[in-house]
Amino acid sequence: MTECVVPRIACNPCAAKSGGCNPCGAECGGCNPCAASCGACNPCNPCAAKACGACNPCAACGACGPCGAGGAELTDAEAMTAYDCAKDEMAAAYKMSGLPAAGQFMNWKNYANNPYPSATHGGRYVNNYGNDTARNYGRYENVGVLPTGSVLAKNSFGVNGAGKVMIGPLFLMEKMPAGFNTDFGDWRYSMVMPDGSIFGRTGGKGSAKVQFCADCHTALGAEQDHLLFMPPQYRM
């Protein structure tokens, strides 16, 4: 399979000050995300519970990308070039999970007009797909409550200092029948790794590993159905 590389000036995501390449630098007073090992939490992630009291699975760790999950900072054009190159490989990787949504989501509407960096997903570049049942997602802050069967998918990637594209996890949210998970809006969260393995799924294997997702999304509560939205400039 063709290796995806984005021609660019090399950027060191591990440096405390690298021209904006380290998204944690400003917020964490020079905190170095490379210091955290796979067994430790990354305090630079704004959604990290209790400043590392609970580990954020979206942060850098193992095959997800050493020295910072997101890697280099990209222009919008670079992010689109990287995604266009890697999206077929991403689709094939996620499909191996066996989850129906993981094999279907790229045929759904993408509500992002360009891949954009998400601090709450390890600084990776992401897109926001939704199935037809979730079509009111496009109302954003006026979304109301999405109906049962709504599925939202956020695929992710990063680019290292040499410009190589690194596939990240796929994050899924599925609205389940009332009573499934009342305190968290009846959403089921699933996280699929780049090798197709399922890291965790609410109410299933590895459920505790994705509780972080529910905790982060519940900050908005009923006001907008536990949903967090992309910056306005990236909305379709």
Side-chain angles (χ1 to χ4, degrees), residues 38-180:
C38 192
C41 300
N42 182 353
C44 298
N45 191 301
C47 252
K50 298 180 181 178
C52 289
C55 194
N56 177 1
C58 303
C61 162
C64 305
C67 299
E73 184 175 336
L74 307 174
T75 65
D76 285 350
E78 289 172 336
M80 183 62 78
T81 296
Y83 186 56
D84 284 343
C85 179
K87 63 184 180 181
D88 288 344
E89 182 180 354
M90 296 171 81
Y94 301 142
K95 187 176 182 179
M96 291 191 298
S97 68
L99 298 180
Q104 300 168 359
F105 78 93
M106 282 194 174
N107 295 318
W108 301 345
K109 180 174 181 177
N110 184 2
Y111 288 89
N113 58 33
N114 201 92
Y116 65 95
S118 175
T120 54
H121 294 82
R124 298 181 180 88
Y125 285 78
V126 301
N127 289 276
N128 292 66
Y129 289 85
N131 66 359
D132 187 60
T133 306
R135 56 187 173 276
N136 280 347
Y137 178 84
R139 296 173 60 190
Y140 304 111
E141 284 80 6
N142 297 315
V143 64
V145 177
L146 291 180
T148 299
S150 296
V151 185
L152 302 170
K154 191 186 299 287
N155 53 355
S156 68
F157 67 91
V159 174
N160 67 16
K164 181 179 178 180
V165 180
M166 306 171 293
I167 296 175
L170 169 68
F171 305 92
L172 297 170
M173 290 179 66
E174 180 181 359
K175 180 56 74 76
M176 304 297 286
F180 173 79

